[in-house]
Amino acid sequence: MTIEEQAGLVKLASPKLAGTTGELRDQALLAVAKALMDNKDAIFDANRQDMEQAEKDGIAAPVLKRLKFDEGKLRDVINGIHDLVQMPDPLFQTKLARELDEGLTLYRETCPIGVIGVIFEARPDALVQISALCIKSGNCVILKGGSEATKSNKILFDTIYAAVREAGLPENCMLQLEARSEINELLTCQSSVDLLIPRGSNAFVQYIMSHTNIPVMGHADGICHIYVDKDADIGKAIPIILDAKTQYVSACNTVETLLVHKDIAKELVPKLAQALKEKHVELRGTKEIQTLVDCVPATEKDDDTEYLDYILSAKIVKSVDEAIDHINRHGSHHTDSIVTENKETALHFMRMVDSAGVYQNCSTRFADGYRYGFGAEVGISTSKLHARGPVGLEGLLSYKYKLFGDGHIVDDYAQGRKKFHFVDLP
């Protein structure tokens, strides 16, 4: 079958999955967790083959780190699944109840989006997280992972799909695409796919957005900033910066640019440069930074670069407003943090920075669905429509209006024979 025909079958399955009970979907998730554990040796073996091939192909170190699927990542995804099971069913929740007139009652109720296509980078754990979130939220999913993880993704998908089918979820509730050429076919399936979530490079995401009529949700870049204010506690600032840069260097919520207030630069920058050196981080600084420490000269290009590597650019600013302006001009509206003990300055920064996440005195690495208590995430959205920030269960929901009447007709209201009285119900 063509991709369009296969996507059509997924679309037909979506009302069936949407109509399942929360209990059944939770049972399916528990079956997935068990199947992953039972099949872990085969999963690790497939991932080992992917890793060996990636190393032969000269894949960059940050990508290799994302590609690896070991005991730690298996434990994390299984914990995430159990967290999702503990959450209440997000479907069929009444968000509005209103009596329009006597005997005419309106309800707004949560429902799944329908069919979600997710195109993601070489991260096998992302396949598990995305699948689990879609199962919990009652969404059918079409998955296309990175070619570097072909074997890992295949065995993970087969394991998950077999488990949910055995648990009683409908046939065709999940579909995996394996060939890169199938992406372009998927982009034409606007009659079957309700939402696309691309996860990859800026160029790739921009390509997806410009080659489909399907709504796209996600982010193109992760150029995150930390601004160290004049009222910062240096004892907090340095560990925060190190964590944001090195805890997981290839993530989209890793800090890429450091902004330092001029009044604290002489005290902070030399200590930070030494700490970065010990972590093997290359510091790229403007001329003002270079007068304080020996570092690689920064260029204007660095302001707009997502390194995803052990590189940090640094710049001195004269005020919090200059920092805000720099972030809004050069950032990706993902996650930005201020280090300061001044509450008013922090609130001003958080109000004026136009990003999905704005933090005080903590690492940008907290921008994550699991760390927000969402169970997991399908990605980070920097758009302002529908969902913003880490997209967990709530971001995968839509709603429908249910209106209950008793022979009511609009003409009675148009002619003035009846009037709406709009009473919100408990």
Side-chain angles (χ1 to χ4, degrees):
M1 288 192 293
T2 65
I3 299 303
E4 185 176 4
E5 290 170 334
Q6 293 179 68
L9 294 177
V10 179
K11 183 68 172 178
L12 291 175
S14 63
K16 299 176 184 177
L17 182 60
T20 57
T21 64
E23 182 181 6
L24 177 58
R25 281 178 273 116
D26 284 342
Q27 289 173 355
L29 286 171
L30 292 174
V32 168
K34 183 178 185 302
L36 291 171
M37 282 298 297
D38 291 345
N39 208 25
K40 70 175 186 177
D41 290 339
I43 293 170
F44 293 154
D45 182 62
N47 183 250
R48 188 160 44 249
Q49 294 178 55
D50 282 334
M51 290 288 293
E52 290 172 356
Q53 186 61 51
E55 289 174 356
K56 289 179 183 177
D57 294 340
I59 299 299
V63 178
L64 287 174
K65 190 169 184 179
R66 289 198 296 267
L67 177 59
K68 189 173 184 179
F69 190 83
D70 53 12
E71 288 278 2
K73 288 188 178 178
L74 177 63
R75 182 181 62 250
D76 288 344
V77 297
I78 288 178
N79 287 341
I81 290 172
H82 285 289
D83 288 343
L84 283 174
V85 171
Q86 296 302 314
M87 294 179 181
D89 185 2
L91 301 184
F92 321 122
Q93 301 299 311
T94 299
K95 298 299 182 181
L96 177 146
R98 179 172 295 159
E99 186 179 80
L100 309 185
D101 192 7
E102 185 177 353
L104 186 64
T105 310
L106 178 70
Y107 297 90
R108 185 170 67 208
E109 186 178 275
T110 58
C111 66
I113 289 173
V115 177
I116 299 175
V118 187
I119 309 169
F120 55 99
E121 70 277 38
R123 277 188 55 203
D125 53 327
L127 185 145
V128 182
Q129 294 169 345
I130 293 163
S131 300
L133 279 167
C134 287
I135 292 165
K136 180 72 176 187
S137 60
N139 286 287
C140 290
V141 63
I142 300 175
L143 298 152
K144 173 63 180 79
S147 59
E148 298 87 355
T150 297
K151 290 182 170 60
S152 305
N153 288 338
K154 175 64 175 171
I155 192 168
L156 285 169
F157 177 85
D158 289 346
T159 299
I160 293 168
Y161 185 59
V164 301
R165 286 288 293 124
E166 187 173 349
L169 296 192
E171 185 179 6
N172 300 314
C173 64
M174 300 177 66
L175 172 66
Q176 183 187 28
L177 307 183
E178 298 184 71
R180 186 173 182 83
S181 60
E182 293 173 330
I183 294 176
N184 285 330
E185 294 181 66
L186 178 64
L187 300 184
T188 67
C189 296
Q190 57 263 27
S191 62
S192 299
V193 179
D194 298 292
L195 179 68
L196 283 174
I197 304 177
R199 296 176 58 170
S201 68
N202 179 23
F204 176 69
V205 174
Q206 295 295 344
Y207 176 86
I208 297 296
M209 290 178 172
S210 60
H211 286 79
T212 186
N213 292 322
I214 302 169
V216 178
M217 178 172 67
H219 72 279
D221 279 315
I223 303 176
C224 300
H225 299 75
I226 290 178
Y227 164 58
V228 183
D229 184 53
K230 64 180 180 179
D231 296 318
D233 180 338
I234 290 179
K236 293 178 184 178
I238 292 177
I240 288 171
I241 296 164
L242 292 178
D243 181 86
K245 182 72 263 183
T246 67
Q247 196 274 329
Y248 190 72
V249 72
S250 55
C252 62
N253 56 14
T254 297
V255 67
E256 306 290 18
T257 301
L258 176 69
L259 303 173
V260 182
H261 193 285
K262 63 180 181 60
D263 292 353
I264 203 171
K266 289 182 180 179
E267 184 180 1
L268 171 73
V269 173
K271 295 178 181 177
L272 175 63
Q274 180 59 37
L276 290 171
K277 184 178 180 181
E278 292 172 3
K279 290 284 189 176
H280 308 290
V281 176
E282 176 185 297
L283 180 62
R284 297 184 182 180
T286 59
K287 290 181 179 179
E288 291 176 296
I289 295 289
Q290 293 171 53
T291 63
L292 300 175
V293 294
D294 182 23
C295 64
V296 176
T299 66
E300 290 185 3
K301 184 179 178 181
D302 288 296
D303 288 340
D304 303 301
T305 299
E306 181 184 25
Y307 303 112
L308 299 177
D309 203 350
Y310 289 91
I311 302 170
L312 180 68
S313 65
K315 178 181 181 179
I316 293 175
V317 294
K318 297 176 182 178
S319 66
V320 63
D321 287 312
E322 185 180 344
I324 291 167
D325 181 68
H326 180 98
I327 292 169
N328 287 339
R329 285 173 181 270
H330 299 283
S332 57
H333 311 292
H334 190 299
T335 304
D336 301 286
S337 182
I338 180 173
V339 182
T340 186
E341 299 303 302
N342 188 312
K343 184 177 180 180
E344 289 185 5
T345 302
L347 291 176
H348 177 66
F349 177 93
M350 299 171 93
R351 185 181 303 114
M352 300 305 295
V353 169
D354 184 21
S355 295
V358 283
Y359 298 172
Q360 178 191 6
N361 291 341
C362 54
S363 168
T364 56
R365 288 282 292 123
F366 281 103
D368 178 84
Y370 179 76
R371 296 184 184 104
Y372 280 12
F374 296 170
E377 67 180 45
V378 295
I380 302 275
S381 173
T382 54
S383 67
K384 298 181 182 179
L385 296 178
H386 179 68
R388 195 179 194 194
V391 181
L393 287 178
E394 185 178 347
L396 297 180
L397 300 179
S398 185
Y399 52 82
K400 62 177 66 174
Y401 288 97
K402 295 183 175 181
L403 184 62
F404 296 88
D406 187 19
H408 291 75
I409 60 173
V410 167
D411 196 55
D412 285 340
Y413 299 90
Q415 298 299 327
R417 292 186 292 271
K418 290 185 177 180
K419 292 184 178 180
F420 296 112
H421 59 224
F422 302 128
V423 176
D424 286 339
L425 305 175

Short mmCIF file of all heavy atoms in Angstrom, two decimals, residues 40-70:
data_model
loop_
_atom_site.label_atom_id
_atom_site.label_comp_id
_atom_site.label_asym_id
_atom_site.label_seq_id
_atom_site.Cartn_x
_atom_site.Cartn_y
_atom_site.Cartn_z
N LYS A 40 14.32 -6.60 26.41
CA LYS A 40 15.41 -5.62 26.48
C LYS A 40 16.71 -6.11 25.85
O LYS A 40 17.46 -5.33 25.26
CB LYS A 40 15.64 -5.18 27.92
CG LYS A 40 16.22 -6.22 28.85
CD LYS A 40 16.50 -5.60 30.22
CE LYS A 40 17.22 -6.58 31.13
NZ LYS A 40 17.56 -5.96 32.44
N ASP A 41 17.02 -7.40 25.96
CA ASP A 41 18.28 -7.89 25.41
C ASP A 41 18.31 -7.72 23.89
O ASP A 41 19.32 -7.29 23.32
CB ASP A 41 18.50 -9.36 25.78
CG ASP A 41 18.80 -9.54 27.27
OD1 ASP A 41 19.22 -8.55 27.91
OD2 ASP A 41 18.59 -10.66 27.79
N ALA A 42 17.21 -8.04 23.25
CA ALA A 42 17.13 -7.88 21.79
C ALA A 42 17.16 -6.40 21.41
O ALA A 42 17.75 -6.02 20.40
CB ALA A 42 15.86 -8.54 21.26
N ILE A 43 16.53 -5.56 22.23
CA ILE A 43 16.53 -4.11 21.98
C ILE A 43 17.95 -3.56 22.09
O ILE A 43 18.41 -2.80 21.23
CB ILE A 43 15.59 -3.39 22.96
CG1 ILE A 43 14.13 -3.79 22.68
CG2 ILE A 43 15.75 -1.88 22.88
CD1 ILE A 43 13.15 -3.33 23.74
N PHE A 44 18.66 -3.94 23.15
CA PHE A 44 20.04 -3.48 23.34
C PHE A 44 20.95 -3.97 22.21
O PHE A 44 21.85 -3.25 21.77
CB PHE A 44 20.59 -3.93 24.69
CG PHE A 44 19.91 -3.31 25.88
CD1 PHE A 44 19.90 -3.96 27.10
CD2 PHE A 44 19.29 -2.08 25.78
CE1 PHE A 44 19.30 -3.39 28.21
CE2 PHE A 44 18.66 -1.50 26.87
CZ PHE A 44 18.67 -2.16 28.09
N ASP A 45 20.71 -5.19 21.74
CA ASP A 45 21.52 -5.72 20.65
C ASP A 45 21.30 -4.93 19.37
O ASP A 45 22.26 -4.60 18.65
CB ASP A 45 21.18 -7.19 20.42
CG ASP A 45 22.05 -7.82 19.33
OD1 ASP A 45 23.27 -7.86 19.50
OD2 ASP A 45 21.49 -8.23 18.29
N ALA A 46 20.04 -4.60 19.07
CA ALA A 46 19.73 -3.79 17.88
C ALA A 46 20.37 -2.41 18.00
O ALA A 46 20.92 -1.89 17.03
CB ALA A 46 18.22 -3.67 17.71
N ASN A 47 20.32 -1.83 19.19
CA ASN A 47 20.91 -0.52 19.38
C ASN A 47 22.43 -0.57 19.25
O ASN A 47 23.05 0.36 18.70
CB ASN A 47 20.52 0.03 20.75
CG ASN A 47 21.05 1.43 21.00
OD1 ASN A 47 21.94 1.65 21.81
ND2 ASN A 47 20.51 2.40 20.27
N ARG A 48 23.02 -1.66 19.71
CA ARG A 48 24.47 -1.82 19.60
C ARG A 48 24.87 -1.85 18.11
O ARG A 48 25.89 -1.25 17.72
CB ARG A 48 24.90 -3.10 20.30
CG ARG A 48 26.39 -3.28 20.41
CD ARG A 48 26.76 -4.27 21.51
NE ARG A 48 25.93 -5.46 21.49
CZ ARG A 48 25.02 -5.77 22.43
NH1 ARG A 48 24.84 -4.96 23.47
NH2 ARG A 48 24.31 -6.88 22.35
N GLN A 49 24.07 -2.49 17.30
CA GLN A 49 24.35 -2.53 15.85
C GLN A 49 24.24 -1.14 15.24
O GLN A 49 25.05 -0.75 14.40
CB GLN A 49 23.39 -3.50 15.17
CG GLN A 49 23.57 -4.95 15.56
CD GLN A 49 22.56 -5.86 14.88
OE1 GLN A 49 22.44 -5.86 13.65
NE2 GLN A 49 21.81 -6.63 15.67
N ASP A 50 23.23 -0.39 15.66
CA ASP A 50 23.08 0.99 15.17
C ASP A 50 24.27 1.84 15.59
O ASP A 50 24.78 2.65 14.80
CB ASP A 50 21.79 1.61 15.71
CG ASP A 50 20.55 1.14 14.98
OD1 ASP A 50 20.66 0.75 13.80
OD2 ASP A 50 19.46 1.18 15.59
N MET A 51 24.71 1.67 16.84
CA MET A 51 25.84 2.45 17.34
C MET A 51 27.11 2.13 16.56
O MET A 51 27.88 3.04 16.18
CB MET A 51 26.06 2.16 18.83
CG MET A 51 24.98 2.70 19.76
SD MET A 51 25.05 4.51 19.93
CE MET A 51 26.60 4.70 20.79
N GLU A 52 27.35 0.85 16.30
CA GLU A 52 28.55 0.45 15.57
C GLU A 52 28.54 1.02 14.16
O GLU A 52 29.56 1.51 13.67
CB GLU A 52 28.64 -1.08 15.53
CG GLU A 52 28.96 -1.70 16.89
CD GLU A 52 28.86 -3.22 16.87
OE1 GLU A 52 28.47 -3.77 15.80
OE2 GLU A 52 29.15 -3.86 17.89
N GLN A 53 27.38 0.99 13.51
CA GLN A 53 27.29 1.52 12.15
C GLN A 53 27.47 3.04 12.16
O GLN A 53 28.12 3.60 11.27
CB GLN A 53 25.94 1.15 11.54
CG GLN A 53 25.79 1.54 10.07
CD GLN A 53 26.81 0.86 9.19
OE1 GLN A 53 26.99 -0.36 9.24
NE2 GLN A 53 27.52 1.65 8.38
N ALA A 54 26.89 3.70 13.15
CA ALA A 54 27.01 5.15 13.24
C ALA A 54 28.47 5.58 13.44
O ALA A 54 28.92 6.57 12.85
CB ALA A 54 26.14 5.68 14.39
N GLU A 55 29.19 4.83 14.25
CA GLU A 55 30.61 5.14 14.47
C GLU A 55 31.40 4.95 13.18
O GLU A 55 32.29 5.75 12.85
CB GLU A 55 31.15 4.27 15.59
CG GLU A 55 30.61 4.66 16.97
CD GLU A 55 31.06 3.70 18.07
OE1 GLU A 55 31.72 2.69 17.73
OE2 GLU A 55 30.73 3.94 19.25
N LYS A 56 31.09 3.89 12.42
CA LYS A 56 31.75 3.65 11.14
C LYS A 56 31.46 4.79 10.16
O LYS A 56 32.31 5.17 9.35
CB LYS A 56 31.28 2.33 10.53
CG LYS A 56 31.79 1.09 11.26
CD LYS A 56 31.25 -0.17 10.60
CE LYS A 56 31.69 -1.42 11.35
NZ LYS A 56 31.11 -2.65 10.74
N ASP A 57 30.24 5.33 10.25
CA ASP A 57 29.82 6.40 9.34
C ASP A 57 30.33 7.77 9.78
O ASP A 57 30.05 8.78 9.11
CB ASP A 57 28.29 6.44 9.23
CG ASP A 57 27.73 5.19 8.56
OD1 ASP A 57 28.49 4.51 7.86
OD2 ASP A 57 26.52 4.91 8.75
N GLY A 58 31.03 7.81 10.91
CA GLY A 58 31.59 9.08 11.38
C GLY A 58 30.55 10.04 11.94
O GLY A 58 30.73 11.26 11.86
N ILE A 59 29.49 9.49 12.51
CA ILE A 59 28.44 10.33 13.09
C ILE A 59 29.02 11.13 14.27
O ILE A 59 29.81 10.62 15.06
CB ILE A 59 27.25 9.47 13.57
CG1 ILE A 59 26.64 8.72 12.38
CG2 ILE A 59 26.21 10.30 14.27
CD1 ILE A 59 26.08 9.61 11.30
N ALA A 60 28.61 12.38 14.39
CA ALA A 60 29.13 13.27 15.44
C ALA A 60 28.82 12.74 16.83
O ALA A 60 27.80 12.08 17.05
CB ALA A 60 28.53 14.67 15.27
N ALA A 61 29.70 13.06 17.78
CA ALA A 61 29.58 12.57 19.15
C ALA A 61 28.24 12.92 19.80
O ALA A 61 27.64 12.07 20.48
CB ALA A 61 30.73 13.09 20.00
N PRO A 62 27.72 14.16 19.65
CA PRO A 62 26.42 14.47 20.26
C PRO A 62 25.28 13.58 19.75
O PRO A 62 24.39 13.20 20.50
CB PRO A 62 26.19 15.94 19.88
CG PRO A 62 27.56 16.50 19.68
CD PRO A 62 28.33 15.38 19.06
N VAL A 63 25.34 13.23 18.45
CA VAL A 63 24.31 12.36 17.87
C VAL A 63 24.46 10.95 18.43
O VAL A 63 23.47 10.28 18.74
CB VAL A 63 24.39 12.35 16.33
CG1 VAL A 63 23.34 11.41 15.75
CG2 VAL A 63 24.20 13.76 15.79
N LEU A 64 25.69 10.50 18.58
CA LEU A 64 25.93 9.18 19.16
C LEU A 64 25.36 9.09 20.58
O LEU A 64 24.81 8.06 20.98
CB LEU A 64 27.42 8.87 19.19
CG LEU A 64 28.08 8.55 17.84
CD1 LEU A 64 29.59 8.40 18.02
CD2 LEU A 64 27.49 7.28 17.23
N LYS A 65 25.49 10.17 21.32
CA LYS A 65 24.98 10.17 22.68
C LYS A 65 23.45 10.06 22.69
O LYS A 65 22.88 9.35 23.52
CB LYS A 65 25.41 11.46 23.40
CG LYS A 65 25.14 11.45 24.90
CD LYS A 65 25.82 12.61 25.60
CE LYS A 65 25.61 12.53 27.11
NZ LYS A 65 26.28 13.64 27.82
N ARG A 66 22.80 10.75 21.75
CA ARG A 66 21.34 10.65 21.65
C ARG A 66 20.92 9.26 21.19
O ARG A 66 19.88 8.75 21.58
CB ARG A 66 20.80 11.69 20.67
CG ARG A 66 20.88 13.13 21.16
CD ARG A 66 19.96 14.03 20.35
NE ARG A 66 20.34 14.12 18.95
CZ ARG A 66 21.12 15.04 18.44
NH1 ARG A 66 21.63 15.97 19.24
NH2 ARG A 66 21.40 15.06 17.16
N LEU A 67 21.75 8.67 20.34
CA LEU A 67 21.41 7.38 19.74
C LEU A 67 21.45 6.22 20.74
O LEU A 67 20.69 5.27 20.63
CB LEU A 67 22.36 7.11 18.57
CG LEU A 67 22.24 5.78 17.83
CD1 LEU A 67 20.85 5.60 17.23
CD2 LEU A 67 23.31 5.70 16.73
N LYS A 68 22.34 6.33 21.70
CA LYS A 68 22.54 5.21 22.63
C LYS A 68 21.29 4.94 23.46
O LYS A 68 20.71 5.84 24.05
CB LYS A 68 23.72 5.49 23.55
CG LYS A 68 24.13 4.29 24.40
CD LYS A 68 25.41 4.57 25.17
CE LYS A 68 25.87 3.34 25.94
NZ LYS A 68 27.12 3.59 26.68
N PHE A 69 20.88 3.67 23.50
CA PHE A 69 19.73 3.25 24.30
C PHE A 69 20.20 2.13 25.22
O PHE A 69 20.36 0.99 24.79
CB PHE A 69 18.59 2.78 23.40
CG PHE A 69 17.29 2.56 24.13
CD1 PHE A 69 16.44 3.61 24.39
CD2 PHE A 69 16.93 1.29 24.55
CE1 PHE A 69 15.24 3.41 25.05
CE2 PHE A 69 15.73 1.07 25.22
CZ PHE A 69 14.88 2.14 25.48
N ASP A 70 20.43 2.48 26.48
CA ASP A 70 21.00 1.52 27.42
C ASP A 70 20.06 1.30 28.60
O ASP A 70 18.90 1.71 28.58
CB ASP A 70 22.37 2.01 27.90
CG ASP A 70 22.32 3.44 28.46
OD1 ASP A 70 21.20 3.95 28.69
OD2 ASP A 70 23.40 4.03 28.66
#
